[in-house]
Amino acid sequence: SPPLRFIVPSCKLLVHIVCFSSSHTTNRAKVSHAVVVIFLEFFAWGLLTTPMLTVLHETFPQHTFLMNGLIQGVKGLLSFLSAPLIGALSDVWGRKSFLLVTVFFTCAPIPLMRISPWWYFAMISVSGVFAVTFSVIFAYVADITEEHERSTAYGLVSATFAASLVTSPAIGAYLSANYGDSLVVLVATIIAVVDIAFVLLVVPESLPDKMRLTSWGSPISWEQADPFASLRRVGKDPTVLLICVTVFLSYLPEAGQYSSFFLYLRQVIEFSPAAIAAFIAMVGILSIIAQTLLLTYFMRTIGNKNTVLLGLGFQLFQLAWYGFGSEPWMMWAAGTVAAMSSITFPAVSALVSRIAASDQQGCVQGMITGIRGLCNGLGPALYGFIFFLFNVELNELDPMTGRNKSTSQEPSEKPTIPGPPFLFGACLVLLAFLVAMFIPDHHSMAVKTYTDTRKISTSNNLQSLNPLPASEEDIEPLLQDSSM
């Protein structure tokens, strides 16, 4: 049958990729390992873009935006609570095991979409405990790259996230329209299993053995596992405080936007599923260019801080355009600006990694991911509540076109501000821009986020008794020349 003709070659191709990587891999961790993990994980979720909109509306026909915000909000809050502990444990026990756990639980809800929608949404909420793949991935990259290469590596990882969404929503929409949602869920499940197998069989450990041996058996205190401890700790260093406030104010509207934007395009702007898939592909392609070529260029020419400010400026313009835009062409134009704003997070991650010690990358990235997890909880709930206040809800949709069969407003009665949550987000990003202006260009002190004095002295004594000089085999540079 046609579905089988599509699935079988795709499965064979994925299996060949894993087998090829297994036969040609070495004991050295590489940035390419992180890239493959991120690509497969979000490619699987990208396939579900169209089916998820349908299941969400069918499961919660009333207050769809509000329920979507609450589901994503619970997931984000659980990620906030667990991110510091997972980051600290990965610094002691290594990255691979926690990478396997995070990928598994992030992808676990996928097969439940067709089995039981209620269990699917419940599992999405609960999976937030381990859905912190990016924090482990960024710590993984920090282990194997030098400081001057790190911003380029982070940009490559973020660009891979965008690349995974270039074609997957379009493929998912096509399969859903021609063969049904069950086939889409099956293909996404197979890709998720391949991703888990890739981590288990191919991905090597990135944390050096000498670092794990010196820290193995070290107790994990409640202070390390306490997510609010990281929030209290950021106030001890003014630079870290400014960075964290910038991350919070800029990512809060971004998290809300991610949770509801496709629903917004389908309901308010009346995009069809094909148009939504094409929109995601356009933004994804432009984001890849922005996070590779342009990010490297900006980091070299205007510096790390100014790159963050530039990204925040694009994000401010993008959200304001989304808030006031009422025509499809406005959304397409704002999407190009959204791609440029994607340089903000890799630039911030590179800035944070510069002020953290080599054995604390997991903790410090976990701290930032914890703040982002808090935003992932508050942002969707905030956007859903604002949509609810302004009576923006899904009506009955045509399954083929995605357009409204009936609307409560006439076409001539379009509101002045079609997207109030996006305009509110623009105000938050403006505050983030003002805060980021006070971040110093250089910060010489390393932030020892979770290491106590006794552990530092013990490590220093061990290194003095048995020095282990760094060699070129301890790292895998992304590029000898960081220019793309």
Side-chain angles (χ1 to χ4, degrees):
S1 62
L4 290 178
R5 288 201 300 267
F6 176 84
I7 293 177
V8 173
S10 301
C11 295
K12 288 182 178 179
L13 177 61
L14 292 172
V15 172
H16 288 162
I17 292 175
V18 173
C19 294
F20 179 82
S21 302
S22 302
S23 60
H24 289 79
T25 188
T26 64
N27 292 328
R28 297 172 60 188
K30 300 179 181 179
V31 176
S32 58
H33 292 116
V35 165
V36 172
V37 172
I38 288 294
F39 180 84
L40 292 177
E41 177 178 318
F42 288 98
F43 188 88
W45 277 107
L47 290 172
L48 301 177
T49 301
T50 298
M52 186 159 52
L53 295 178
T54 303
V55 173
L56 183 65
H57 178 50
E58 291 177 350
T59 308
F60 307 105
Q62 300 295 326
H63 309 310
T64 308
F65 280 102
L66 181 61
M67 292 305 300
N68 178 62
L70 292 177
I71 292 168
Q72 298 297 330
V74 172
K75 178 182 178 180
L77 288 175
L78 290 177
S79 297
F80 162 71
L81 295 174
S82 64
L85 177 60
I86 292 179
L89 290 174
S90 71
D91 283 332
V92 175
W93 295 340
R95 316 292 185 202
K96 178 175 179 176
S97 56
F98 288 94
L99 194 58
L100 181 63
V101 170
T102 56
V103 171
F104 175 81
F105 280 96
T106 301
C107 297
I110 291 178
L112 296 177
M113 177 179 286
R114 299 307 299 172
I115 298 175
S116 173
W118 284 97
W119 278 105
Y120 167 72
F121 289 114
M123 190 63 185
I124 285 180
S125 301
V126 176
S127 68
V129 176
F130 296 101
V132 290
T133 305
F134 262 109
S135 66
V136 183
I137 283 291
F138 280 142
Y140 188 96
V141 171
D143 293 337
I144 58 179
T145 55
E146 294 179 342
E147 182 176 325
H148 69 277
E149 302 167 327
R150 207 159 289 159
S151 61
T152 306
Y154 287 159
L156 182 61
V157 172
S158 298
T160 302
F161 163 73
S164 66
L165 300 178
V166 169
T167 58
S168 56
I171 295 174
Y174 172 79
L175 294 177
S176 177
N178 290 276
Y179 307 114
D181 291 346
S182 297
L183 178 66
V184 183
V185 175
L186 176 60
V187 174
T189 302
I190 293 173
I191 295 175
V193 172
V194 171
D195 193 17
I196 295 171
F198 181 83
V199 175
L200 182 64
L201 303 175
V202 181
V203 175
E205 177 59 53
S206 65
L207 201 63
D209 290 338
K210 59 183 180 183
M211 191 175 297
R212 282 188 292 159
L213 290 175
T214 56
S215 60
W216 186 265
S218 300
I220 302 298
S221 65
W222 166 246
E223 184 181 10
Q224 294 172 262
D226 182 9
F228 299 98
S230 63
L231 299 181
R232 294 191 297 267
R233 192 178 295 109
V234 298
K236 297 181 180 179
D237 190 306
T239 300
V240 178
L241 176 61
L242 291 173
I243 293 175
C244 290
V245 172
T246 301
V247 170
F248 179 81
L249 292 175
S250 63
Y251 196 72
L252 183 64
E254 186 175 346
Q257 174 185 329
Y258 283 157
S259 68
S260 59
F261 188 60
F262 300 142
L263 286 173
Y264 178 78
L265 288 178
R266 190 171 179 178
Q267 161 67 10
V268 179
I269 312 300
E270 298 185 350
F271 270 38
S272 66
I276 292 177
F279 181 89
I280 297 173
M282 182 204 70
V283 176
I285 293 173
L286 294 178
S287 297
I288 294 171
I289 298 174
Q291 294 174 9
T292 52
L293 298 176
L294 296 182
L295 177 64
T296 303
Y297 174 77
F298 289 141
M299 293 288 288
R300 286 189 165 190
T301 55
I302 64 177
N304 202 324
K305 173 185 172 181
N306 291 330
T307 302
V308 174
L309 292 175
L310 183 64
L312 291 174
F314 281 116
Q315 185 182 5
L316 173 61
F317 185 40
Q318 160 218 340
L319 288 172
W321 208 339
Y322 282 154
F324 287 108
S326 58
E327 299 296 333
W329 71 267
M330 296 180 179
M331 298 296 104
W332 288 96
T336 61
V337 182
M340 288 299 303
S341 69
S342 64
I343 65 176
T344 303
F345 181 60
V348 169
S349 298
L351 188 62
V352 170
S353 68
R354 286 170 47 192
I355 64 175
S358 59
D359 61 340
Q360 295 296 303
Q361 292 295 329
C363 288
V364 75
Q365 295 295 344
M367 179 180 67
I368 297 299
T369 302
I371 294 176
R372 285 166 58 90
L374 181 61
C375 294
N376 283 331
L378 298 178
L382 179 63
Y383 269 48
F385 181 68
I386 295 176
F387 276 124
F388 175 73
L389 288 179
F390 284 84
N391 298 318
V392 180
E393 278 300 331
L394 282 176
N395 298 317
E396 188 179 0
L397 297 175
D398 188 326
M400 296 303 297
T401 64
R403 294 183 177 272
N404 299 330
K405 290 183 178 179
S406 61
T407 56
S408 58
Q409 293 181 333
E410 296 295 330
S412 60
E413 297 179 354
K414 290 185 177 180
T416 305
I417 305 177
F422 303 109
L423 189 60
F424 177 78
C427 297
L428 294 180
V429 175
L430 178 59
L431 294 177
F433 184 89
L434 297 176
V435 172
M437 292 180 64
F438 293 95
I439 298 176
D441 295 325
H442 302 284
H443 185 70
S444 58
M445 292 183 62
V447 179
K448 299 290 185 178
T449 50
Y450 295 105
T451 307
D452 57 16
T453 306
R454 182 169 52 188
K455 183 178 177 181
I456 294 176
S457 60
T458 303
S459 178
N460 290 337
N461 292 336
L462 288 173
Q463 291 182 5
S464 62
L465 292 175
N466 188 18
L468 293 172
S471 64
E472 294 182 356
E473 295 183 356
D474 292 334
I475 59 172
E476 173 63 24
L478 177 67
L479 294 172
Q480 295 297 332
D481 184 359
S482 296
S483 64
M484 300 296 293

